[in-house]
Amino acid sequence: RTTYFHDLLNIDTPEADLIISTDAAYSKFSRITSNIGGLVEKMWGSFTLSGDGDALRVSALLSTHLRPLFKDLDPDTPIIATHCYVALAAVAAGFTNVVNLVIDNHAQWFVVVPGCMNLVQGPVNYQNFLKMGVNPDDLQLAGHWIPRDMVLNIPSDCARRIARAKDSNFKPRRILIPVGGAGAQRKFIVKFVRSLAPLVKANKVQLFLNAGDHVHMQAAFKDVLTEIGLDGQYDTVTSTEGVNKFRDNLLAGAEPNTAVTLFSFDTYFPAVATTDILSRVADVLACKPSELAFYPVPKLMIRRVGDHEQYSALRAAELGDGTLEAREIEDCETYMNLFVNDNSLLEQMNTSIVNNNKEGIYDGCKNAVRIALERSQAS
């Protein structure tokens, strides 16, 4: 079947503006609370755990305003929604076959959608939703939401990482540091990059810094690179074409031109795609425990933004493809020393990823398509 990517944010309508403004408000609060820390951050963390029935009702009411974005589509078209707002809007618009890819690893009413099939990434989430009273007929365990190219290349990518880690001629560890969608980690990430300066200068670490489309993070990365003495000593990539070329060169066995490469963009789509593309050639993905916590690449789980994310870090650690959450810079440094000075942890994580893949852990997107088509054929 022909598959369409229906990007609601990329449509010039008042409904798309509503999504953008709602996301902007969430991002703003995330940035403020993360930078202030302390009691304010704790209060925001509690808020992100409180997606109860009232939160679902508010989301449903908001999502009804998004119905015009679906008005020219056949209501029997299978819809695979990557956010609960999309699923709620599709159900409200009368679509008969909606599949909601449930985000995170913390069960709360806010992320499930009545009237559709809700797919979850892990068994604990599945169990907790059943305990909450979600209808078993509207809930399935599917696996992680991972880009197809990444899943198909798990065996070769993991083998290459292990070979790099064990090479008798030491290979610098490639650390990919993306900024989350909210851009809320400026202070922590800047401190983290600053702490990595000795390893970068000793040629033990290479940094891939994805500032996304966040102007304040582009400036923050440039400032800290100047501070640690690397001004003018890093490359900058600003297009998806450039990102693909960078990855392909590394897959072919080349090394980056500089120890630090900064990726920055004017729009959100290439910003998100860059992390997917570069994960294949990174030795470690250093990120907060967002949806990236489910990716099949060794992960250093850095400080969360919102307490709901802590459960995604636990999922990664239990699967063996990521660390526990490193909430302080000292914790990050401890894990970095393990990654750099020994190959044991990197080898274990990559081996776990290969084994998880054999079990279908990372087949969530593939299963979502299968389930949507099965529901279509059964109707």
Side-chain angles (χ1 to χ4, degrees):
R1 288 196 183 189
T2 302
T3 302
Y4 295 95
F5 175 54
H6 190 39
D7 184 2
L8 304 190
L9 287 178
N10 212 20
I11 305 171
D12 186 14
T13 63
E15 292 79 19
D17 290 341
L18 175 61
I19 301 173
I20 293 170
S21 61
T22 302
D23 178 65
Y26 175 83
S27 298
K28 181 177 181 179
F29 279 112
S30 294
R31 287 194 297 269
I32 292 173
T33 57
S34 178
N35 288 328
I36 293 176
L39 180 60
V40 174
E41 184 180 23
K42 186 175 182 179
M43 291 173 62
W44 178 251
S46 298
F47 172 76
T48 63
L49 294 174
S50 61
D52 57 11
D54 288 335
L56 176 57
R57 292 185 189 95
V58 171
S59 297
L61 289 171
L62 185 150
S63 297
T64 59
H65 296 287
L66 307 180
R67 288 177 296 179
L69 297 174
F70 295 91
K71 67 179 182 180
D72 292 326
L73 299 177
D74 183 342
D76 292 326
T77 302
I79 300 290
I80 299 177
T82 58
H83 193 276
C84 56
Y85 281 6
V86 179
L88 285 164
V91 171
F95 282 80
T96 59
N97 183 7
V98 180
V99 174
N100 175 38
L101 306 187
V102 177
I103 57 175
D104 298 328
N105 196 42
H106 172 60
Q108 47 187 337
W109 284 111
F110 163 72
V111 296
V112 289
V113 176
C116 77
M117 174 58 68
N118 294 277
L119 303 184
V120 298
Q121 300 184 80
V124 172
N125 227 16
Y126 179 76
Q127 294 169 24
N128 285 333
F129 278 124
L130 290 178
K131 287 167 60 181
M132 287 166 50
V134 175
N135 189 335
D137 294 335
D138 298 334
L139 187 69
Q140 286 191 46
L141 173 61
H144 296 188
W145 322 134
I146 309 297
R148 182 171 183 267
D149 181 62
M150 198 179 299
V151 176
L152 292 177
N153 289 286
I154 282 175
S156 59
D157 289 347
C158 287
R160 185 175 57 256
R161 291 190 196 102
I162 291 174
R164 282 178 53 83
K166 298 175 69 174
D167 197 313
S168 57
N169 295 317
F170 181 84
K171 301 291 186 183
R173 306 308 192 225
R174 296 168 175 169
I175 314 299
L176 171 58
I177 307 177
V179 177
Q185 299 167 283
R186 180 179 57 83
K187 286 178 66 175
F188 191 88
I189 287 181
V190 165
K191 289 180 181 178
F192 182 42
V193 171
R194 188 181 294 123
S195 75
L196 293 175
L199 293 175
V200 173
K201 293 177 179 179
N203 200 33
K204 292 186 175 182
V205 160
Q206 296 170 349
L207 296 182
F208 306 158
L209 306 177
N210 182 12
D213 57 342
H214 302 292
V215 175
H216 72 286
M217 282 307 307
Q218 296 173 24
F221 277 137
K222 290 178 181 179
D223 287 346
V224 72
L225 291 174
T226 298
E227 177 189 330
I228 63 178
L230 294 177
D231 185 28
Q233 299 181 46
Y234 59 89
D235 283 347
T236 302
V237 178
T238 59
S239 68
T240 301
E241 179 184 5
V243 176
N244 282 316
K245 183 178 179 180
F246 181 89
R247 178 204 59 190
D248 292 344
N249 285 339
L250 268 57
L251 287 175
E255 290 292 329
N257 294 327
T258 55
V260 178
T261 307
L262 174 62
F263 300 84
S264 61
F265 309 92
D266 296 327
T267 57
Y268 75 92
F269 191 82
V272 174
T274 292
T275 298
D276 295 348
I277 295 168
L278 295 181
S279 287
R280 288 195 54 202
V281 292
D283 292 314
V284 177
L285 173 61
C287 61
K288 71 185 184 75
S290 59
E291 290 306 300
L292 294 178
F294 300 88
Y295 271 34
V297 56
K299 294 175 292 290
L300 168 57
M301 302 273 79
I302 63 175
R303 190 182 184 93
R304 63 182 181 259
V305 179
D307 287 355
H308 62 296
E309 293 183 338
Q310 63 186 300
Y311 303 101
S312 299
L314 289 173
R315 170 72 174 164
E318 290 295 338
L319 284 174
D321 62 9
T323 68
L324 290 167
E325 182 185 1
R327 289 190 55 78
E328 305 296 337
I329 294 299
E330 292 77 14
D331 301 323
C332 294
E333 291 174 336
T334 298
Y335 280 120
M336 284 303 305
N337 286 331
L338 291 174
F339 287 132
V340 169
N341 296 323
D342 187 41
N343 57 46
S344 301
L345 186 55
L346 278 175
E347 186 173 359
Q348 175 269 305
M349 286 187 176
N350 281 287
T351 300
S352 293
I353 291 168
V354 171
N355 292 334
N356 293 339
N357 187 46
K358 292 176 182 177
E359 298 295 326
I361 296 294
Y362 307 115
D363 286 341
C365 291
K366 175 182 176 181
N367 290 331
V369 173
R370 173 183 58 78
I371 290 167
L373 293 177
E374 288 174 353
R375 285 165 56 87
S376 180
Q377 294 165 0
S379 60

